[in-house]
Amino acid sequence: MPLSYSGISKHPANKKRSKGERVDTVNNDDEKSLGTEWAPLDFRQVNDTFNRFLRITDADTAILKQHQALLLRDGERFAETFYDYLFHFPATARVLREYQAAGGKIDHLIQKQLSHLQSFLSGNYDADSAADLTKIGHIHQQHGIEPVWFMGAYRLYLDYLHDVVAGSSALSNEEGQRLEQAIQKFLFRDMGMMLEGYWDAALSQIQTEKNKVTLLQDQITGLLGNIPQILWSVDVRTNTPLYVSPSTRNICSLDVQMPIPCLAWTHPDDQELVKAAWHEALQGKRVDVESRVQEPGQDPRWFRRVFHPYLDQTGKVVRIDGLMDETTKWKNVISRLHVLATTDSLTGLPNRALLYDRLSQTIATARRDSGKQVALMLMDLDHFKEINDTLGHPAGDEVLRQVAERLTPLLRESDTLARLGGDEFAVILPDSPNGLAAAEKVSDSITAAFSRPFQYEGRDLYLGAGIGIAVFPQHGEDVDTLMSRADLAMYSSKHKGIGSVVYQPQNSDSGAHRFHLTNELRRALDRDEFLLHYQPKIGLRSGHAYGVEALIRWQHPERGLLLPDQFISLAERSGLIQPITDWLIETLAAQCCKWRKGGNDLSIALNVSTTSFQNPKLLQRLHDTLTSGPLQGRDGWMEIEITENTLMADIEHGSHVLRQLRDLGVTVAIDDFGTGYSSLSYLKRLPIQSIKIDKSFVLNMAHDTSDAAIVRSTIELAHNLGYDVVAEGVENRDTLDLLTQMGCDSAQGYFMGYPISASDITHWMAESPWSPSRC
């Protein structure tokens, strides 16, 4: 089908060429990249080869020119018939219709076809004519016209010209034979050069696509080799790797051990865990597992492995894709943070959080072994306040360190000595057949240890200690009860001025006091004796107040202003916490509306006790308040603060409540962060917006490097988990500046504002340098 589509193509090859110009389908850069696999067509060489092979001579050209008029006599009618024929076949008809749809005319193509017939019968077989023919082959390939179609068109040419020669009476037999031979030679040359052009374009296109694939593969390989994670894919039917990223060798340089990469280098204690995760993935489950990988002579490194099963249409696992991501840094950070959060920075002893955890564990162990007891000893130093007041805090700190050093050798390795805060210490004696006898023996040793003076700058400092003893299971069967009763015994010891006291029921005489206070608490709501104070929270980036924390107070008619720690626990035990919580939510909603009307758009944070958080009525009360009335549709005005221990008491229930709070537009903060014993692996999965660093870490952070390290680590970890950070207990400019440098988001404390009444907050917002209107 020579030149049949040359009028259709918009390909650059159809642009006018200068004489001898090369016809290529790739640019120079493409040619350089193709290497030895493919080279653009040298049409001059191919033309010479065709001419020699077909034995085309000037005599063939002469006879064609001599009879050109005869052969073209019915040329236009042939061209019209030719295109009628092409419209009968889908592939050629599609191209022709597209040409017509773009505004092209078939008459134009008929003239082009006739022009080509004239050129063909001119007998020209030089390089320029070869270039034209290869260009037509390029065009056919680009338009998707298969060789079978234009080879069929050449058959039409041959049939037409044969009929003309055979039907001419003006030609002798010999002349007719010579003319038909010349026609056949030029027709085969024409068709051959066009096919060469077609295949040249096809090979060029294939090579270009191969180059793209190779380039993409190189880019992907470079990318995967540059990232620290290992990516891999294994065909589980044959246990052969489909892909393992180059970075594997940075982790296990000598072995990848399929089907689980780096299994042989996995720490022996972790290999069974990894294998179990792999077998779980083979059942179709996505599995995460953390394990250590250790090359010979190197330190262990922690890695998170993720197994992603791929299922075929029948639901069968046929492939497992996975990654390994090093978590050593975060493991170390979390481990260090855990140590800092559970260790007293001054003495190096376990702190209150770790003591509670160990006491809980030892009670659980003793409960399983009915013959074992656990003794708890709480100790408060005598005369310590006088040392602090007269010699200063450095002297007090030094004495506390010496107390820790002096008491530690008196205990077994399995015992626990902890500092609870201030001058309070605690001792756990686990796994004892006679807890009371063991505690009394240790108590005598402690009393003897205090008979010798402590030293500070050449001074002899004498201290005593009041010790309270409670034993599991005689005096209590849970941590809180034992702590409470040991505490009662300790204060009895201090009151009586004797070294140690074992808990006795009469130590609970204060129960009568709590009973009367509980009865008064029941009437406090009816008498409107509760009130709220508000402490501002300051955004450290903006420098102005954006919200407040609501703090409940009890204006007792006889005892004066009582703080929450003096009555909230009573409210929880007596069942009064729920109506108090309802009053709080109702009061805060009304106060929020009042502030907004006055132009103060403040969020309000509310501390929620463990009992209230676990009560489903809390969600219902919040739902009723937030979905009706003037605050309907106003998300973010209320924040709920809960402690780590409240959340971890029942993580499943806690997760459910947090998600419902989020749906209601209530944000959640973890209060007193660092003093509890939560699992970060759980916290990071929950819809928590912020954490509040406990003031015990903040108060002295400007002068205590350990406290500063805890605060910095907490801020960095919280930000990496996507949480905002609020620091409590900011009492001076140095602390505020240090928190700002660490990237802390917000702060509250006496330096910015004391807890004050709602009306005072209004005045504070108008006059304080922390007010948005003054910033």
Side-chain angles (χ1 to χ4, degrees):
M1 197 157 42
L3 286 179
S4 58
Y5 297 114
S6 62
I8 297 176
S9 175
K10 299 294 190 291
H11 191 274
N14 285 337
K15 295 178 181 178
K16 185 175 181 181
R17 293 180 296 106
S18 60
K19 186 173 182 180
E21 181 184 354
R22 224 170 130 166
V23 180
D24 300 328
T25 60
V26 292
N27 60 34
N28 292 334
D29 290 337
D30 290 332
E31 292 177 23
K32 293 176 184 177
S33 68
L34 298 181
T36 58
E37 294 185 33
W38 176 86
L41 176 67
D42 186 345
F43 58 85
R44 298 178 187 277
Q45 181 181 353
V46 174
N47 182 53
D48 291 341
T49 301
F50 268 111
N51 292 343
R52 288 196 304 271
F53 186 78
L54 295 172
R55 297 180 180 178
I56 297 175
T57 65
D58 290 343
D60 296 312
T61 299
I63 195 170
L64 283 178
K65 288 182 176 181
Q66 178 183 350
H67 298 291
Q68 187 181 40
L70 171 65
L71 296 173
L72 288 173
R73 185 176 57 197
D74 292 325
E76 187 166 351
R77 183 172 57 82
F78 165 73
E80 293 174 354
T81 304
F82 179 82
Y83 280 101
D84 289 340
Y85 181 81
L86 293 181
F87 270 111
H88 284 84
F89 296 95
T92 52
R94 172 182 56 81
V95 176
L96 292 174
R97 291 194 182 95
E98 290 175 356
Y99 171 69
Q100 288 178 306
K105 304 293 184 182
I106 297 299
D107 288 344
H108 172 70
L109 295 182
I110 290 173
Q111 292 304 313
K112 293 285 290 185
Q113 191 64 245
L114 186 58
S115 174
H116 177 72
L117 184 59
Q118 291 172 343
S119 175
F120 169 72
L121 294 175
S122 69
N124 186 5
Y125 59 97
D126 62 10
D128 284 345
S129 68
D132 288 335
L133 291 170
T134 57
K135 181 176 69 175
I136 295 171
H138 279 225
I139 294 170
H140 281 63
Q141 192 273 337
Q142 290 154 10
H143 283 280
I145 304 302
E146 299 292 337
V148 64
W149 299 109
F150 55 86
M151 290 177 69
Y154 277 108
R155 185 187 64 80
L156 296 180
Y157 264 67
L158 186 60
D159 289 348
Y160 162 70
L161 294 172
H162 172 75
D163 290 344
V164 171
V165 172
S168 174
S169 58
L171 295 172
S172 65
N173 288 339
E174 181 182 353
E175 187 78 1
Q177 289 177 357
R178 288 178 51 236
L179 180 56
E180 284 218 49
Q181 288 176 356
I183 290 171
Q184 290 174 2
K185 289 179 182 180
F186 275 90
L187 186 140
F188 280 117
R189 174 183 175 273
D190 198 294
M191 182 172 63
M193 291 303 301
M194 191 179 298
L195 283 171
E196 287 286 348
Y198 180 95
W199 292 118
D200 179 66
L203 289 172
S204 170
Q205 184 178 14
I206 291 171
Q207 188 63 51
T208 299
E209 294 304 315
K210 286 175 64 178
N211 291 341
K212 291 179 182 178
V213 171
T214 300
L215 178 61
L216 182 59
Q217 288 176 333
D218 290 343
Q219 291 173 336
I220 294 174
T221 300
L223 170 66
L224 297 179
N226 191 45
I227 62 175
Q229 291 85 1
I230 288 181
L231 301 177
W232 49 269
S233 182
V234 172
D235 185 337
V236 299
R237 296 167 296 187
T238 59
N239 277 347
T240 55
L242 302 174
Y243 177 81
V244 179
S245 60
S247 52
T248 304
R249 296 300 176 183
N250 298 330
I251 297 172
C252 44
S253 58
L254 301 180
D255 169 73
V256 293
Q257 189 171 342
M258 289 297 137
I260 308 175
C262 297
L263 181 62
W265 295 85
T266 300
H267 194 283
D269 293 343
D270 298 339
Q271 286 192 10
E272 290 305 317
L273 182 67
V274 174
K275 289 179 182 178
W278 172 262
H279 289 299
E280 194 172 349
L282 290 175
Q283 304 304 313
K285 299 179 181 178
R286 178 189 179 282
V287 187
D288 284 27
V289 62
E290 278 194 308
S291 61
R292 290 160 291 177
V293 174
Q294 184 174 18
E295 294 185 66
Q298 302 295 322
D299 292 331
R301 298 159 65 188
W302 280 95
F303 284 88
R304 170 176 169 259
R305 281 183 169 97
V306 183
F307 299 141
H308 290 268
Y310 178 83
L311 282 64
D312 63 13
Q313 294 179 345
T314 66
K316 181 180 179 181
V317 176
V318 296
R319 191 181 82 220
I320 292 181
D321 305 322
L323 67 83
M324 287 178 64
D325 187 16
E326 185 167 6
T327 58
T328 305
K329 176 182 176 182
W330 290 114
K331 276 283 187 180
N332 291 339
V333 168
I334 292 172
S335 176
R336 176 61 179 160
L337 183 59
H338 175 70
V339 170
L340 292 173
T342 58
T343 302
D344 175 55
S345 60
L346 179 64
T347 63
L349 297 175
N351 63 10
R352 182 183 294 270
L354 188 53
L355 176 89
Y356 268 71
D357 179 65
R358 290 187 178 176
L359 184 57
S360 176
Q361 292 181 26
T362 56
I363 288 175
T365 302
R367 186 175 284 117
R368 290 192 295 269
D369 188 342
S370 59
K372 300 298 182 181
Q373 297 180 348
V374 179
L376 173 66
M377 306 170 63
L378 296 186
M379 178 174 59
D380 186 87
L381 304 184
D382 296 331
H383 314 303
F384 180 78
K385 185 177 184 300
E386 288 86 341
I387 293 175
N388 252 347
D389 292 343
T390 57
L391 301 180
H393 289 288
D397 290 347
E398 176 59 26
V399 167
L400 292 173
R401 282 190 286 265
Q402 291 184 33
V403 169
E405 292 170 0
R406 190 173 294 185
L407 297 185
T408 298
L410 305 180
L411 304 174
R412 301 171 300 176
E413 187 174 343
S414 59
D415 299 336
T416 296
L417 172 64
R419 181 185 173 216
L420 304 184
D423 61 348
E424 289 189 62
F425 291 80
V427 174
I428 301 174
L429 306 176
D431 195 27
S432 175
N434 188 331
L436 181 58
E440 289 176 336
K441 181 179 179 180
V442 171
S443 175
D444 291 342
S445 299
I446 292 174
T447 301
F450 276 96
S451 64
R452 293 180 287 115
F454 295 89
Q455 299 293 319
Y456 180 73
E457 293 184 349
R459 293 184 176 89
D460 288 340
L461 304 176
Y462 288 90
L463 296 175
I467 302 172
I469 300 171
V471 178
F472 168 89
Q474 296 97 308
H475 304 141
E477 298 190 1
D478 59 73
V479 172
D480 290 337
T481 302
L482 275 184
M483 289 290 292
S484 175
R485 291 179 174 174
D487 190 61
L488 287 171
M490 180 188 70
Y491 279 104
S492 178
S493 167
K494 300 275 285 185
H495 178 71
K496 295 176 180 179
I498 57 178
S500 64
V501 169
V502 178
Y503 170 78
Q504 299 294 335
Q506 53 266 34
N507 296 145
S508 299
D509 287 343
S510 59
H513 165 74
R514 289 197 299 271
F515 175 76
H516 292 300
L517 197 61
T518 300
N519 287 336
E520 293 167 344
L521 188 63
R522 294 182 186 278
R523 296 190 290 268
L525 272 176
D526 297 333
R527 295 175 178 177
D528 200 23
E529 292 175 357
F530 291 117
L531 55 87
L532 289 172
H533 285 174
Y534 302 88
Q535 185 172 37
K537 294 196 294 185
I538 310 300
L540 296 187
R541 292 187 182 87
S542 65
H544 63 69
Y546 66 90
V548 296
E549 179 179 359
L551 302 166
I552 190 171
R553 304 288 188 257
W554 181 8
Q555 188 64 60
H556 194 282
E558 297 174 1
R559 306 174 192 274
L561 192 67
L562 301 182
L563 300 180
D565 59 357
Q566 296 174 280
F567 63 88
I568 289 298
S569 60
L570 291 177
E572 288 188 293
R573 286 196 293 269
S574 62
L576 295 173
I577 193 65
Q578 187 56 47
I580 292 176
T581 302
D582 291 344
W583 174 84
L584 279 168
I585 294 172
E586 180 180 352
T587 305
L588 292 179
Q591 185 60 59
C592 181
C593 291
K594 186 175 180 180
W595 276 336
R596 289 192 177 206
K597 288 179 181 179
N600 291 319
D601 191 7
L602 295 172
S603 65
I604 302 177
L606 169 64
N607 282 283
V608 174
S609 69
T610 301
T611 303
S612 293
F613 185 73
Q614 293 175 344
N615 191 329
K617 292 182 179 179
L618 172 67
L619 285 171
Q620 185 60 51
R621 181 61 175 173
L622 286 170
H623 178 273
D624 294 343
T625 302
L626 297 172
T627 57
S628 61
L631 293 176
Q632 183 177 3
R634 291 178 176 265
D635 291 349
W637 75 268
M638 173 171 277
E639 180 176 65
I640 295 295
E641 295 184 4
I642 57 174
T643 65
E644 296 173 80
N645 291 335
T646 294
L647 182 59
M648 298 308 296
D650 187 345
I651 188 64
E652 293 300 326
H653 174 75
S655 175
H656 173 71
V657 172
L658 291 182
R659 288 184 172 83
Q660 289 191 293
L661 289 172
R662 177 193 60 194
D663 294 342
L664 287 172
V666 177
T667 58
V668 177
I670 299 299
D671 196 17
D672 299 336
F673 184 78
T675 62
Y677 198 69
S678 64
S679 169
L680 289 171
S681 63
Y682 282 115
L683 289 184
K684 70 181 182 180
R685 302 175 188 173
L686 300 175
I688 297 165
Q689 283 69 45
S690 60
I691 64 171
K692 300 186 73 175
I693 303 177
D694 186 68
K695 64 182 180 182
S696 63
F697 301 120
V698 176
L699 284 172
N700 297 316
M701 63 175 287
H703 310 290
D704 189 317
T705 56
S706 295
D707 282 349
I710 292 174
V711 172
R712 184 185 300 276
S713 298
T714 302
I715 292 171
E716 291 176 355
L717 183 60
H719 284 169
N720 283 320
L721 294 175
Y723 303 149
D724 290 335
V725 181
V726 182
E728 299 181 288
V730 179
E731 297 189 358
N732 54 67
R733 169 60 70 178
D734 290 345
T735 301
L736 185 67
D737 291 343
L738 187 55
L739 287 168
T740 303
Q741 293 172 14
M742 290 179 176
C744 187
D745 301 287
S746 308
Q748 68 182 91
Y750 295 161
F751 180 67
M752 289 80 76
Y754 285 84
I756 52 180
S757 67
S759 59
D760 288 339
I761 282 287
T762 303
H763 295 303
W764 185 92
M765 289 296 291
E767 299 176 2
S768 170
W770 306 103
S771 171
S773 62
R774 302 290 295 274
C775 293

